[in-house]
């Protein structure tokens, strides 16, 4: 006899209690769990399936643009990490060190990689000799460790998964083109696949990657009005090539230092996905990254055999085009299954019962948007595809409307303070470019400069000092 599993189905906190809601959804949807190591998480199969889909799509795009995968060591000798001073200073508070191996005390400490520029550049110095060796377009899919004080599942953990691209180019122009190419790939992926709108631009010098000439960034807005850095693409200039002795003989027979980039997105994107799209019923997944795009729930009482046969037939048909799961567990009621799959954010539920079998139809239920709709069985592939497209588009439209509603122009420090404490979102301000004004605004409001947009420009007066200003900056409090 089917039973309800009340301890699972009971309500999660409302989303207005964002922190509690977020943790409950991650745990109840079985995306991740807390590890016995402080600040670390176990990514469960359902959560890892989302990461795999993200990884597969990004990897496809990288390979289409000529990038190749490689792998570099987890441990970095301290002497290598020390070679680029600004880079070392930027990461020093977050580095985990290995000082003993087995029973032996190490003669040189080994850093557990917080990022891999040092170890990779050491190898590039061996491999690159001539302009014929350029460009080098490598990336690796791996984990990194950063010793964070405050952590939250997916959004900020001491160990996380990412890819890190590290490219080397003959000229500065080629390196900047690469950094912008990756920025465009990230934007297309985050908006097109994750249905998350982004603000795209540059970081201020105080916020750029340690060791970079400048950093391109993609910023997203969470439901509580705080910003999250969704991805970065760094123009490293010649800083690392000079520090690590990477040189090449150019066409003019002159020895030169090449120009470099590095870039990454991480499992943090799963956290953004959860926060931006989820609702009071749980997770809401964009179809393009949903482990199951369609779940089939057979509804039967006496006529179990015919319904199950039809459900299996439908699953087989749809599996040719979609990621499908048939939930034929007899120990749970249809109502419990509905709650279960809504919590897990499956984009479309397909119901089939005795009456549907008799009428030659199925019932489709989107996770967001309009309610149930009955469709002829003969049209099921077309109708499911259409519904998935509608869910994907609706999620982006909804998130874009929220972002647009939380961007506020500000011309005074007091207005920025009000935006941070009352309106909660991005403050759009003009800045003169002086660090003292940036620090004043940061200290007064608790906000940081998130992005200097690439596609907008204005002139006027600096929000702090009132002097002529031509740099447009979006400020927000951030995770």
């Amino acid at each position: 006899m089917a039973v309800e599993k009340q301890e699972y189905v009971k309500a999660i906190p409302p989303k207005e209690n964002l922190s509690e809601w977020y943790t409950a959804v991650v745990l109840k949807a079985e995306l991740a769990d807390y590890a016995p190591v402080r600040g670390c998480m176990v990514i469960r199969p359902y959560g890892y399936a989302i990461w795999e889909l993200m990884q597969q799509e990004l990897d496809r795009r990288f390979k289409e643009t000529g990038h190749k995968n490689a792998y570099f060591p987890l441990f970095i000798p301290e002497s290598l990490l020390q070679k680029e001073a600004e880079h070392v200073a930027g990461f020093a508070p977050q580095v985990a060190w290995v000082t003993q191996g087995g029973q032996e005390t190490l003669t040189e400490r080994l850093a557990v990689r917080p990022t891999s520029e040092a170890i990779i550049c050491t190898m590039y110095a061996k491999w690159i000799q001539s302009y014929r060796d350029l460009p080098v377009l490598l990336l690796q899919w791996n984990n990194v460790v950063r010793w964070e004080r405050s952590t939250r599942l997916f959004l900020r953990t001491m160990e996380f998964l990412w890819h890190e691209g590290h490219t080397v180019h003959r000229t500065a122009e080629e390196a900047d083109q690469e950094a912008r190419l990756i920025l465009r790939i990230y934007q297309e992926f985050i908006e097109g696949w994750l249905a998350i709108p982004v603000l795209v631009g540059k970081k201020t010098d105080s916020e750029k990657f340690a060791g970079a000439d400048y950093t391109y960034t993609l910023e997203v807005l969470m439901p509580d009005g705080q910003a999250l850095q969704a991805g970065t693409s760094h123009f490293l200039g010649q800083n690392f090539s000079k520090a690590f002795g990477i040189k090449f003989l150019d066409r003019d027979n002159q020895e030169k230092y090449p120009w470099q980039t590095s870039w990454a997105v991480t499992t943090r994107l799963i956290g953004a996905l959860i926060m931006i799209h989820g609702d009071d019923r749980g997770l809401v997944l964009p179809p393009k990254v949903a482990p199951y795009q369609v779940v089939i729930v057979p509804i039967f009482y006496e006529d179990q055999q015919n319904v199950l046969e039809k459900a299996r037939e439908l699953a087989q048909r749809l599996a040719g085009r979609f990621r499908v799961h048939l939930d034929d567990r007899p120990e749970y009621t249809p109502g419990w299954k509905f709650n279960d799959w809504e919590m897990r954010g499956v984009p479309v539920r397909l119901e089939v019962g005795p009456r549907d079998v008799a009428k030659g139809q199925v019932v489709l239920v989107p996770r967001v948007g309009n309610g149930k709709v009955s469709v002829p069985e003969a049209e099921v592939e077309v109708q499911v595809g259409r519904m998935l497209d509608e869910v994907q588009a609706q999620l982006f439209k909804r998130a874009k409307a929220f972002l647009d509603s939380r961007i506020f122009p500000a011309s005074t420090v007091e207005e920025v303070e009000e935006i941070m404490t009352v309106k909660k979102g991005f403050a759009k301000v003009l800045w003169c470019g002086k660090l003292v004004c940036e620090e004043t605004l940061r200290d007064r409001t608790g906000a940081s400069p998130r992005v200097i947009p690439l596609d907008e420009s204005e002139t006027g007066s600096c929000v702090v000092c009132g002097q002529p200003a031509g740099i447009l900056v979006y400020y927000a409090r951030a995770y």
Side-chain angles (χ1 to χ4, degrees), residues 296 308-318 326 377:
I296 299 174
L308 276 177
E309 287 180 2
K310 179 57 65 178
R312 289 166 183 155
E313 176 190 325
L314 288 165
Q316 188 173 10
R317 278 178 57 186
L318 292 171
L326 170 61
E377 185 186 324

Side-chain angles (χ1 to χ4, degrees), residues 34-185:
Y34 293 102
V37 181
R38 186 194 74 80
C40 294
M41 66 177 174
V42 176
I43 304 177
R44 300 187 69 175
Y46 196 63
Y48 198 81
I50 297 172
W51 177 244
E52 284 181 315
L53 289 165
M54 294 166 60
Q55 180 185 38
Q56 289 164 12
E57 175 58 20
L58 283 169
D59 200 55
R60 180 189 68 79
R61 291 172 184 253
F62 295 147
K63 286 173 178 172
E64 282 184 353
T65 49
H67 299 84
K68 296 179 180 179
N69 290 327
Y71 188 79
F72 295 84
L74 173 68
F75 301 116
I76 303 170
E78 185 173 12
S79 57
L80 297 186
L81 201 61
Q82 295 287 351
K83 281 193 172 183
E84 212 288 324
E86 184 180 351
H87 182 65
V88 172
F91 277 100
Q94 295 179 307
V95 176
W97 294 99
V98 177
T99 59
Q100 183 168 321
Q103 301 299 316
E104 298 180 13
T105 300
L106 302 183
T107 57
E108 180 179 12
R109 292 195 301 176
L110 297 175
V112 182
R113 63 176 168 224
T115 182
S116 297
E117 277 78 5
I119 194 76
I120 290 175
C121 288
T122 299
M123 302 310 299
Y124 284 172
K126 293 176 60 177
W127 299 343
I128 296 169
Q129 305 297 326
S130 164
Y131 70 91
R132 297 181 182 88
D133 299 323
L134 301 174
V136 177
L137 307 176
L138 296 187
L139 71 145
Q140 64 172 345
W141 293 89
N142 59 304
N143 64 338
V144 292
V145 172
R146 297 181 183 175
W147 211 260
E148 301 281 0
R149 291 184 179 179
S150 178
T151 60
R152 180 178 291 184
L153 295 169
F154 287 114
L155 292 173
R156 189 175 295 277
T157 51
M158 290 207 303
E159 180 190 13
F160 55 88
L161 304 181
W162 71 351
H163 64 259
E164 48 179 315
H166 297 270
T167 70
V168 190
H169 304 267
R170 180 175 162 268
T171 67
E173 292 74 19
E174 290 175 7
D176 184 70
Q177 288 173 8
E178 165 75 9
R180 287 174 176 263
L181 167 67
I182 298 303
L183 192 71
R184 186 171 73 248
I185 289 174

Side-chain angles (χ1 to χ4, degrees), residues 407-425:
I407 297 175
F408 307 100
S411 56
T412 66
V413 175
E414 289 73 22
E415 287 178 353
V416 177
E417 287 180 303
E418 181 187 10
I419 292 167
M420 296 304 113
T421 57
V422 180
K423 297 179 179 179
K424 298 189 177 179

Side-chain angles (χ1 to χ4, degrees), residues 336-358:
W336 184 87
K337 294 176 183 178
F338 295 165
N339 279 299
D340 187 17
W341 294 111
E342 284 189 345
M343 175 69 71
R344 296 173 188 270
V346 174
V348 173
R349 184 173 76 241
L350 187 155
E351 302 171 6
V352 58
R355 293 181 182 177
D356 301 309
V357 173

Side-chain angles (χ1 to χ4, degrees), residues 24-42:
V25 169
V26 171
L27 297 175
K28 284 184 173 291
E30 297 183 345
L31 299 175
D33 204 347
Y34 293 102
V37 181
R38 186 194 74 80
C40 294
M41 66 177 174
V42 176

Side-chain angles (χ1 to χ4, degrees), residues 330-387:
E331 61 269 27
Y332 299 121
T333 66
W336 184 87
K337 294 176 183 178
F338 295 165
N339 279 299
D340 187 17
W341 294 111
E342 284 189 345
M343 175 69 71
R344 296 173 188 270
V346 174
V348 173
R349 184 173 76 241
L350 187 155
E351 302 171 6
V352 58
R355 293 181 182 177
D356 301 309
V357 173
K359 293 180 179 180
Q361 68 178 26
V362 299
V363 175
L364 300 181
V365 185
R367 180 62 178 80
V368 295
N370 297 325
K372 297 183 178 183
V373 57
S374 297
V375 301
E377 185 186 324
E379 300 177 11
V380 66
E381 291 97 332
V382 172
Q383 295 297 338
V384 166
R386 182 175 299 149
M387 187 170 285

